[in-house]
Amino acid sequence: MTDMTIEPRTVPLGGLRGLQVDRTLPTKGLPTIGAWCFLDHFGPTFQSMDVLPHPHTGLQTVTWLLAGGVEHRDNLGSNVTIQPGELNLMTAGNGVSHSEFSLDASGSMHGLQFWVALPESRRHGEATFEHFADLPVVHEQGWEATVFMGEFAGQTSPASAFSPIVGAQIVVNAGRHEIRLNPEFEHGLVAVDMSVDVNGERLAQRSLRFIDVGAESVVIDAPVRTTVVLIGGEPWDEPLVMWWNFVARTHAEIEEARSDWEAGDQRFGTVDGHGGKVIPAPPLPPVILKPRVRRLP
Ligand code: MN
């Protein structure tokens, strides 16, 4: 089994003066953990999130807040405020567009935003948006988990998932906890608030620990009560070409999505409330985009 630690790289979101985020997925040699193909960790920060309308294809966006509030609007007509402990799940299918603005620029904001790749059977389908304020909670001795995607410890999230998957926020008390995992899944564990020991090895705050398939459990040792986030799923076996906000299978599909967005094609609709302002697509790089390849050490 190959386990590894992914340290975050800092990326400006939405331009150079945009919110700084720490990105751990995709990373070199590890494009996915299950169907999870993207992970940004933002805040805690007093910077605001001001992300004008932009498109997505072939993925689900999973938004999970630990502090603050964000207003989501999309071309389906959604206008939803998300608070900590709630889930926003947008399924792009063939195409969707949305905007995200933090509610109160004077308040602190903290959260995670993930993408989940859609399988071939769903990625050409229609776009949908779901919001859940009530999610199942697992209560165990010394820890509790909110299950926001898929299945964990006997609880199942009501959110739509299209591959075997887990996404859960786990709050552990100080001390050592052995938490059972699905051995058919590979997993990723994010140290959200502070460093914790994972299977006897230090995991720095904001880093991601990859745990290969076959693990029956993970041991988390925390100095004080703290939060970690667990993601995972069956290893992903479809090719993924990812560029900007698009997840596809080929360079040609990416090119088409980009030109559809630039042309204002109805594929991506219109997000109300921004006076027609959108984020333009960057130029394509002068290479043929290829599927990302897994190469574990
Ligand atoms: Mn987005």
Side-chain angles (χ1 to χ4, degrees):
M1 286 201 304
T2 307
D3 291 0
M4 65 185 279
T5 298
I6 300 119
E7 283 164 12
R9 58 192 194 281
T10 301
V11 179
L13 189 70
L16 280 175
R17 272 179 295 172
L19 183 64
Q20 301 273 323
V21 301
D22 277 345
R23 187 163 298 164
T24 43
L25 270 186
T27 193
K28 195 171 162 50
L30 186 67
T32 50
I33 296 178
W36 301 90
C37 61
F38 186 90
L39 169 48
D40 272 355
H41 187 166
F42 53 88
T45 179
F46 290 97
Q47 266 189 294
S48 59
M49 179 184 278
D50 307 291
V51 184
L52 281 167
H54 60 279
H56 288 290
T57 62
L59 58 87
Q60 293 175 292
T61 60
V62 174
T63 306
W64 185 256
L65 296 184
L66 295 121
V70 171
E71 184 181 75
H72 160 100
R73 292 176 182 236
D74 61 41
N75 69 302
L76 309 168
S78 315
N79 185 350
V80 172
T81 294
I82 181 174
Q83 306 284 351
E86 302 179 349
L87 171 69
N88 271 5
L89 177 68
M90 186 175 72
T91 301
N94 185 53
V96 76
S97 59
H98 73 143
S99 64
E100 291 167 303
F101 281 75
S102 44
L103 282 181
D104 180 3
S106 64
S108 175
M109 185 179 51
H110 185 196
L112 300 165
Q113 191 170 66
F114 309 87
W115 296 354
V116 174
L118 287 170
E120 188 59 30
S121 58
R122 183 63 182 82
R123 73 185 187 98
H124 304 286
E126 64 173 10
T128 62
F129 177 80
E130 297 162 66
H131 173 84
F132 298 96
D134 268 311
L135 291 161
V137 179
V138 177
H139 296 277
E140 293 284 342
Q141 184 72 36
W143 58 272
E144 61 192 42
T146 307
V147 184
F148 54 85
M149 283 295 283
E151 202 180 329
F152 180 66
Q155 296 279 356
T156 304
S157 165
S160 296
F162 302 97
S163 60
I165 198 169
V166 59
Q169 171 179 278
I170 308 177
V171 178
V172 295
N173 290 343
R176 184 182 180 280
H177 312 277
E178 182 165 10
I179 297 175
R180 289 186 64 81
L181 298 177
N182 179 346
E184 289 173 10
F185 282 9
E186 53 189 18
H187 291 89
L189 195 73
V190 188
V192 174
D193 285 330
M194 64 179 67
S195 302
V196 293
D197 280 357
V198 176
N199 293 333
E201 244 182 83
R202 176 59 52 95
L203 180 67
Q205 189 204 1
R206 306 176 85 78
S207 290
L208 172 68
R209 183 84 184 152
F210 170 73
I211 303 166
D212 211 344
V213 288
E216 305 269 351
S217 65
V218 60
V219 175
I220 300 173
D221 202 332
V224 297
R225 184 175 163 88
T226 188
T227 300
V228 298
V229 167
L230 179 75
I231 58 173
E234 286 184 4
W236 184 259
D237 61 2
E238 297 183 34
L240 291 183
V241 178
M242 288 175 56
W243 178 78
W244 194 42
N245 292 307
F246 304 130
V247 173
R249 297 295 181 273
T250 63
H251 180 92
E253 286 181 357
I254 296 279
E255 255 183 333
E256 188 181 5
R258 183 188 181 281
S259 59
D260 286 348
W261 175 248
E262 290 301 288
D265 190 276
Q266 271 315 296
R267 175 177 182 179
F268 297 111
T270 304
V271 182
D272 289 338
H274 302 290
K277 278 192 280 184
V278 300
I279 301 179
L284 273 167
V287 293
I288 299 297
L289 300 165
K290 295 213 172 77
R292 291 169 188 260
V293 179
R294 176 177 290 200
R295 274 194 204 91
L296 294 177

